[in-house]
Amino acid sequence: MGQRSRLRRCPACRTTLSRDANPRRRYCSPACVARAYRARKRFGAIYKQVLEAGQRLVTGDDPEIGIICPGCGRWIYPGGRGLRADARHCSPTCRQRDYRRRRRERSS
Ligand SMILES: [Zn+2]
Ligand SMILES: [Zn+2]
């Protein structure tokens, strides 16, 4: 099998890296390394949320991003609109209400 060396590009500025560049080197320059690091830090939180949402879709843990808040019956979107990714209620008020109701139902 002849190994064709594929063209590699710097992920930060899309400059083509020379073929004899160190294979472990991903960026064309330290400036691009720093730029990519800063961008990762800035978008890290969002990226993680998107990744987690995608993971849930793939694993089938939570096939629907939108769920109905058991407290008020409204559609909510965990992971977006100010809700935590693992949120099940639109607000702490609804969470409390739902917990209280469930406890009542269990005891009766
Ligand atoms: Zn670069
Ligand atoms: Zn609610």
Side-chain angles (χ1 to χ4, degrees), residues 12-105:
C13 68
R14 313 307 292 167
T15 295
T16 309
L17 301 181
S18 61
R19 277 157 200 258
D20 53 335
N22 187 334
R24 283 160 68 183
R25 190 170 145 181
R26 289 188 58 208
Y27 298 93
C28 68
S29 66
C32 277
V33 174
R35 199 196 303 176
Y37 175 74
R38 277 200 299 271
R40 252 206 312 274
K41 255 181 98 170
R42 190 173 329 139
F43 293 114
I46 300 165
Y47 178 70
K48 212 174 139 230
Q49 278 185 7
V50 171
L51 201 74
E52 281 169 2
Q55 242 162 21
R56 278 203 303 278
L57 284 174
V58 171
T59 57
D61 281 350
D62 185 2
E64 300 199 277
I65 293 296
I67 60 168
I68 290 174
C69 169
C72 63
R74 278 192 304 173
W75 277 97
I76 59 170
Y77 299 88
R81 305 191 192 192
L83 290 172
R84 290 167 47 128
D86 59 352
R88 288 293 168 267
H89 304 82
C90 71
S91 64
T93 314
C94 275
R95 195 174 56 215
Q96 282 293 322
R97 198 189 297 165
D98 187 43
Y99 280 173
R100 273 201 296 270
R101 186 169 54 201
R102 268 191 290 180
R103 211 173 344 165
R104 238 192 345 260
E105 280 171 4

